[in-house]
Amino acid sequence: MAVVKLQNLIKVYGSALAVKGVNLDIPEGAFTVFVGPSGCGKTTTLRMIAGLESISHGDLLMDGERVNDLPSRERGVAMVFQSYALYPHKTVRQNLEFSLKLEKLPQAEIDRRIDEAVSVLELQPYLDRKPAALSGGQRQRVAMGRAIVRQPKVFLFDEPLSNLDAKLRNQMRVEIKQLQRRLGVTTVYVTHDQVEAMTMADLIVVMRDGRIEQTGSPIDVFERPANEFVAGFIGTPQMNFIDGSISDDGKAVLPSAGIELQLPEGRFDLPALRQRAVRLGFRPEDIVPDGHGIPIENGQNITAPVTFSEMLGNETLLFGRLGENDFVSRMQRPRLVERDETLNFRIDLDRIHLFDQETGESLRLPRS
Amino acid sequence: MASSIDDLDLKALVAAERRNNRPNWPLAVLALVISAVWIVPFYYMATSIFKTTEEYSQNHPLSLPASWHPVIENAVTAWTNAKMASGLLNSMLYSTVGAGLAVFIAALAAYGLTRFDFRGRNLWFMLIFSGTVFPLQMYLIPLFFTYQGLNLLNTHAGMLIFYTAICIPFPVLVLRNFMNGLSREMDEAARMDGAHELTVFLKIILPNCWGPMTATFLLQFTWIWNDLLFSTVLANKTDVRSIMNALQTFQGSYASTGPNVVMTATIIASLPSLILFFLLRRHFMEGMRISTV
Ligand SMILES: Nc1ncnc2c1ncn2[C@@H]1O[C@H](COP(=O)(O)OP(=O)(O)OP(=O)(O)O)[C@@H](O)[C@H]1O
Ligand SMILES: [Mg+2]
C-alpha cells in the first residue's frame, strides 16, 4: 500500500505537451479513476507513474520518496494493460510466475502466491494453456493474476475492459472492484467510460487536455461539477445547457427558450449574480414529464413538444424543444409518446446548475 | 412462392455447375508440356547417377540406367577425388555458424531498432539495409586485398567473418518488421515484472521470433552453402575450401571424371541443405506468422 503524490507532472512529446502540470494525491488503499475524453493524457500520466514513460518535469512521490528516476521494476507497481500483454509463448502458470522467478523467491512461496491468485481468479482449469487458447475474459484474468502475485504497492489499470463485450465488461467491473476491496491495494484505473468511473471509483479524477478538471468522489463530481466540462462529461445523456442571464429579482431569464426560472435561495449567491450572463444546466432526470417519476416539490412547469423519443425499455429518453434549444428528458415508467406530442414537464429548481458563460466555472456556492 | 424450391429443375442446375467445373484441356496440356521441360534436368541428374561412365558415354544421355548399383562406385569416386569430406565439414561450419551468428546479431539489431527510441534510428536501419542493395560482387576485389593485408585469406576465421557480415542485413529487415508487430506492451509488462533489458530480449522477444529466425537462418544457410564466388576467391586451399569449391576439381583440363560422377557429387553436396529444409519446414512455413496475445 502506498500514497502516491503527483506534483506538477509534465510530459512533453517532441514539442507537444501531453500532460500539462498534474497535481494529485492518490490516497492509500483507495480506488482512483482517471477519466476524460480520448487524448486527454490519462494513459500518459499512468505510464509516468508506472515508470514506462520518463517524467519531463515535476515530481512523483511514493511513500514520500521521489521515484522519478527509479526504473519501473523497482517501484513496486504492477500494471494491467489494455491489450493484456500476456507472454504468448508461456503457459498461464509461466505467465504468472515470471516475475516471481526473476525476484528469485523460494519455490514454496511462488507456489503459494500462484495458488492464491489462481483460486481468487478461478484460473485453475487453464494453468497449462497458452494465452492463445483463452477467451478474452480469461486473458483478462490472467493479466490481473500476473499483477496480483507480485503483491505490488500500487495497481495500475489502463482501460482493461475495453476489449470485452458489454456483458463481460459489467461482470469484470464488479470483480475488479471486489478484488481491490479485498486486497486493499492502492489502485489507479484509467478509463474513458464514465459508467466505469462512477461505479468503481472512490476518487474520480476528471481530466481534459492534459490537465485535471476536477477531483472528487463520484457523487461529488456528479452533484457538484466544478465546471461546465465536468458537468457535460459526467452523466448520460449529458446535462442540458441553455444560455441566459440573471435578473435583479433572482430569476434565470432564458430568452432563447422563452422561459424564466425562479432560482432557489442558498444554492447561488443571487445578488452577486445580477445581470450576469450565465449558462444554465439541468440533467435529463431533473426535467420530468408530468406523472412520471417522483413528483418534484420545488419545481416549475413548462410545456414543450417532443420531437423524438428513444425507448430503452425501463425508461424512455424524450428529445424536446424549448424555443431554440434542444433538451433531453428521462421518462420513468414510460408510456408511448407520439411524435411532436406536446407534454407538460416539471423542472427541479433545486437541482439547477449555473456556469459562467466565459470561463465555464460553476457559480454554485461552496458547501457550507 | 414458398414452394418455389420444389419446382426447380435440380438436374439442370447440377449439369450447369458441372459444366463450370469442366477441365480446360488445352490449358492442361500446355501446363503438362511446360512441367515436362522443367523436369528434364532433374530427370537427367536422377538417371545419370545410376550409370557407369561407359554406360553414360555409349547411350543417349536421357536413356534409362541399366541397374542402380553404379551409384555406389560413383559416390566413392566423387567423395575421394574431390576430398568431399573436408569440403562438407568446412561448408557445415561456414553455413551453420555464419548464418546462426548473422541471425542472432540481426535479432539484436532489430530489437534495438524497434525497442529503443533513439535519434536517427531509421537512418541506422537504412545504413544496415543498404548492405543488400548493392551487387555483392562489388565487395570482391577490395575484400581480397584487405584479407591479404590482414592475413585472413585461406583461413576459417576470414570466411566466417565475411559470411556472417554479409548475411546480417536481410534478417535485420525481416526481424525488424516482425518485432515491430510484436506488442510493445508485452515487453513493457516484462520490464515491470522485473526483467532487465537482456532478459526481455532473451526470454520474451526471442522465443516469439523463432519462426522468422528459422526462416532467415535457412535462407542464409543455403546462400552460404551454395556460394562459389567468394569461397573460390578467398579460400582456395583444400583444408579451408567449401564443398561447392571442392566440386570445381571435376572441371578443367585435367579432369577425366564422367558426368555421372559429377552429378553424384552435386547431389551429395546439396543433400545437407535439403535435409535441413525438410527438418525445419514447419518453422519455415510458419516463419512469417505473427502471434500476439
Ligand atoms: N509516444 C507519443 N508520442 C507523441 N505523442 C504522444 C505519444 N503518446 C501520446 N501522445 C499524445 O499525448 C496525448 C495524450 O495521450 P494519451 O495516450 O495519454 O491519451 P489518453 O487520455 O490515454 O487517451 P485514450 O482515451 O484515447 O487512451 C495525445 O494527444 C497523444 O497524441
Ligand atoms: Mg489511453
Side-chain angles (χ1 to χ4, degrees):
Chain A
M1 273 174 270
V3 192
V4 184
K5 264 185 199 296
L6 284 57
Q7 293 181 338
N8 200 23
L9 281 195
I10 290 176
K11 177 68 192 179
V12 185
Y13 284 121
S15 58
L17 277 165
V19 176
K20 306 175 178 171
V22 163
N23 286 294
L24 181 66
D25 284 2
I26 295 169
E28 182 162 356
F31 201 109
T32 303
V33 176
F34 289 1
V35 66
S38 190
C40 69
K42 309 178 293 288
T43 298
T44 308
T45 310
L46 192 77
R47 289 171 58 87
M48 285 195 283
I49 301 174
L52 295 172
E53 213 71 69
S54 65
I55 295 170
S56 309
H57 179 83
D59 294 314
L60 176 67
L61 307 182
M62 287 173 80
D63 290 332
E65 196 187 330
R66 185 174 183 275
V67 296
N68 284 38
D69 304 316
L70 221 55
S72 46
R73 62 174 175 273
E74 287 166 34
R75 289 190 190 181
V77 295
M79 183 149 163
V80 176
F81 292 86
Q82 182 173 3
S83 67
Y84 315 139
L86 301 180
Y87 311 127
H89 58 294
K90 293 180 185 291
T91 63
V92 169
R93 168 175 280 278
Q94 289 165 338
N95 263 280
L96 295 178
E97 70 187 2
F98 182 65
S99 62
L100 306 179
K101 291 229 154 128
L102 286 175
E103 233 183 293
K104 302 219 163 58
L105 290 180
Q107 190 60 42
E109 172 69 5
I110 294 182
D111 290 341
R112 196 188 61 76
R113 290 205 199 172
I114 289 184
D115 286 349
E116 199 180 302
V118 161
S119 74
V120 170
L121 296 165
E122 292 163 14
L123 284 171
Q124 193 59 47
Y126 316 110
L127 270 182
D128 295 318
R129 287 202 207 166
K130 296 260 176 78
L134 298 178
S135 73
Q138 291 158 354
R139 288 177 200 177
Q140 174 68 61
R141 285 210 181 82
V142 178
M144 286 185 4
R146 201 170 56 177
I148 291 172
V149 292
R150 291 184 49 206
Q151 307 190 339
K153 288 191 282 187
V154 183
F155 272 141
L156 306 174
F157 291 85
D158 189 3
E159 306 205 22
L161 305 184
S162 56
N163 289 340
L164 302 178
D165 65 57
K167 192 167 166 230
L168 199 53
R169 192 153 59 219
N170 290 348
Q171 182 193 333
M172 290 304 292
R173 201 166 68 200
V174 176
E175 280 186 30
I176 292 180
K177 179 68 188 164
Q178 283 176 344
L179 191 70
Q180 191 273 341
R181 280 224 183 108
R182 231 175 92 180
L183 301 174
V185 179
T186 310
T187 299
V188 184
Y189 185 105
V190 163
T191 177
H192 60 248
D193 178 353
Q194 45 124 342
V195 177
E196 269 174 42
M198 292 297 284
T199 52
M200 300 174 89
D202 299 318
L203 184 74
I204 289 191
V205 178
V206 185
M207 290 185 71
R208 173 171 63 158
D209 196 19
R211 290 198 178 85
I212 293 182
E213 293 283 327
Q214 187 173 0
T215 310
S217 67
I219 194 73
D220 242 9
V221 172
F222 187 80
E223 294 282 346
R224 308 184 73 94
N227 54 43
E228 197 188 321
F229 171 78
V230 176
F233 188 79
I234 301 287
T236 37
Q238 85 163 52
M239 188 184 276
N240 302 296
F241 294 107
I242 300 178
D243 282 351
S245 59
I246 305 296
S247 69
D248 289 345
D249 54 354
K251 281 191 171 130
V253 186
L254 310 171
S256 65
I259 54 171
E260 293 184 359
L261 298 176
Q262 182 62 54
L263 297 174
E265 304 281 333
R267 198 169 163 92
F268 310 102
D269 182 5
L270 290 173
L273 291 178
R274 272 178 204 162
Q275 302 306 328
R276 271 280 276 280
V278 296
R279 186 156 294 155
L280 182 132
F282 51 95
R283 295 197 183 275
E285 46 273 25
D286 299 329
I287 176 163
V288 175
D290 232 2
H292 292 268
I294 304 161
I296 293 165
E297 261 174 51
N298 182 17
Q300 187 168 326
N301 294 338
I302 51 169
T303 53
V306 173
T307 54
F308 184 73
S309 63
E310 229 176 36
M311 255 176 294
L312 303 175
N314 56 344
E315 61 181 28
T316 293
L317 299 178
L318 304 174
F319 296 81
R321 270 193 87 69
L322 261 178
E324 301 160 17
N325 305 280
D326 292 314
F327 73 93
V328 187
S329 157
R330 207 188 278 276
M331 181 191 227
Q332 304 291 340
R333 291 196 277 128
R335 64 170 175 84
L336 206 60
V337 178
E338 301 290 332
R339 207 176 153 211
D340 289 326
E341 186 177 337
T342 298
L343 290 182
N344 288 319
F345 292 94
R346 195 164 166 85
I347 293 188
D348 191 338
L349 297 173
D350 281 335
R351 301 179 63 83
I352 277 183
H353 300 265
L354 290 180
F355 304 98
D356 189 304
Q357 258 187 34
E358 305 277 299
T359 63
E361 291 303 310
S362 172
L363 297 174
R364 195 168 158 189
L365 284 173
R367 223 182 313 235
S368 43
Chain B
M1 274 320 269
S3 66
S4 72
I5 190 102
D6 302 326
D7 304 341
L8 277 177
D9 183 356
L10 202 62
K11 282 212 183 93
L13 283 183
V14 170
E17 277 296 326
R18 196 170 287 155
R19 231 171 296 132
N20 282 341
N21 294 335
R22 210 181 4 219
N24 184 344
W25 284 116
L27 207 64
V29 169
L30 185 70
L32 221 68
V33 170
I34 294 178
S35 317
V37 172
W38 195 259
I39 281 173
V40 166
F42 293 97
Y43 167 81
Y44 167 72
M45 195 154 89
T47 49
S48 297
I49 63 172
F50 296 109
K51 296 175 182 172
T52 63
T53 310
E54 294 91 65
E55 192 185 351
Y56 180 86
S57 54
Q58 280 159 16
N59 298 316
H60 189 271
L62 291 186
S63 64
L64 279 171
S67 67
W68 64 269
H69 34 81
V71 69
I72 297 173
E73 196 192 328
N74 289 345
V76 173
T77 319
W79 189 266
T80 44
N81 283 13
K83 301 198 174 61
M84 287 185 76
S86 103
L88 279 173
L89 273 180
N90 286 330
S91 276
M92 215 34 146
L93 174 77
Y94 300 150
S95 302
T96 325
V97 177
L101 262 181
V103 170
F104 183 75
I105 294 172
L108 279 171
Y111 181 76
L113 287 169
T114 54
R115 260 50 187 183
F116 302 146
D117 299 299
F118 56 92
R119 279 173 78 89
R121 62 175 183 176
N122 281 330
L123 206 75
W124 278 105
F125 172 65
M126 292 315 289
L127 196 69
I128 299 172
F129 187 57
S130 66
T132 62
V133 175
F134 302 107
L136 296 181
Q137 292 78 353
M138 202 183 76
Y139 304 123
L140 198 56
I141 309 290
L143 206 60
F144 179 80
F145 287 112
T146 314
Y147 267 35
Q148 203 172 35
L150 295 173
N151 281 329
L152 282 173
L153 281 183
N154 287 315
T155 61
H156 284 124
M159 292 308 282
L160 277 178
I161 292 172
F162 166 72
Y163 281 135
T164 306
I166 205 81
C167 285
I168 289 175
F170 176 66
V172 171
L173 172 74
V174 173
L175 290 173
R176 188 189 87 122
N177 288 348
F178 187 85
M179 285 186 196
N180 256 337
L182 291 179
S183 153
R184 256 186 107 148
E185 290 193 341
M186 183 177 71
D187 40 290
E188 281 169 351
R191 238 163 259 146
M192 295 195 71
D193 266 352
H196 289 261
E197 214 59 58
L198 193 67
T199 319
V200 177
F201 174 69
L202 292 175
K203 295 247 172 93
I204 303 296
I205 300 294
L206 274 200
N208 284 298
C209 291
W210 282 134
M213 284 176 73
T214 328
T216 48
F217 173 80
L218 270 178
L219 291 175
Q220 303 309 69
F221 181 96
T222 332
W223 187 85
I224 299 177
W225 190 268
N226 292 337
D227 168 62
L228 181 62
L229 182 66
F230 287 92
S231 84
T232 313
V233 174
L234 299 178
N236 219 359
K237 295 251 168 70
T238 316
D239 54 343
V240 289
R241 73 181 178 193
S242 70
I243 181 68
M244 290 302 153
N245 196 351
L247 289 186
Q248 287 199 97
T249 46
F250 294 122
Q251 259 184 354
S253 34
Y254 301 107
S256 58
T257 359
N260 51 331
V261 176
V262 180
M263 284 303 129
T264 314
T266 316
I267 287 196
I268 296 175
S270 44
L271 275 184
S273 39
L274 279 178
I275 292 172
L276 200 63
F277 254 100
F278 186 74
L279 289 179
L280 298 177
R281 67 194 184 284
R282 197 169 57 85
H283 298 280
F284 186 74
M285 300 306 280
E286 281 181 355
M288 299 301 143
R289 218 187 61 193
I290 295 191
S291 71
T292 30
V293 178

